[in-house]
Amino acid sequence: CNLTGWWENDLGSKMQVFNVDNDGTFSGEYHTSVSSAKKPIQPSPLIGSQHLDEDGQCTFGFTVNWKKFSDSTAVFVGECFKGDDGKEVLHTSWLLREKVDSEPEDWKATR
């Protein structure tokens, strides 16, 4: 699986991976289409790492810092699969951590 390039999810968010180094490290930008922030959405930097197996499938993870418009950070983990049509598809799970004002509010900070 080659993560380099543009990817789009079911909600219309887009991710661009610039280049994957020989050690699996990559960077890029995430263009989310969904946000609960009050400021206008802006492209956000991402940094990640992938593990490429001999069969071409890879697991990967990356962090997105929404610092340009939000006080939150998200982490994604996933795997790349080759579909029946030969196209590569990414399946991911994510966690989003929003800033809260105090420790007692910690319970509502992670989605």
Side-chain angles (χ1 to χ4, degrees):
C1 180
N2 182 359
L3 292 178
T4 301
W6 284 95
W7 298 90
E8 184 172 356
N9 71 13
D10 297 339
L11 298 175
S13 296
K14 297 177 183 173
M15 170 178 76
Q16 182 181 19
V17 175
F18 298 139
N19 187 36
V20 180
D21 294 341
N22 291 336
D23 67 354
T25 301
F26 61 89
S27 64
E29 280 189 335
Y30 201 95
H31 301 247
T32 188
S33 64
V34 295
S35 172
S36 61
K38 293 176 177 46
K39 295 180 182 177
I41 294 172
Q42 295 186 42
S44 299
L46 68 84
I47 188 156
S49 181
Q50 81 167 46
H51 176 82
L52 185 62
D53 283 337
E54 294 169 3
D55 64 4
Q57 285 185 206
C58 68
T59 57
F60 60 89
F62 60 91
T63 301
V64 180
N65 186 334
W66 310 107
K67 64 184 174 185
K68 293 182 178 182
F69 67 94
S70 175
D71 290 332
S72 62
T73 302
V75 292
F76 294 76
V77 293
E79 186 171 351
C80 180
F81 296 95
K82 192 165 281 196
D84 293 336
D85 60 0
K87 289 180 69 175
E88 293 175 335
V89 62
L90 307 181
H91 285 258
T92 61
S93 296
W94 56 270
L95 288 172
L96 176 84
R97 177 65 186 215
E98 292 181 298
K99 179 181 170 186
V100 291
D101 294 328
S102 65
E103 187 177 0
E105 294 181 272
D106 182 63
W107 66 271
K108 66 179 183 178
T110 302
R111 287 191 266 178

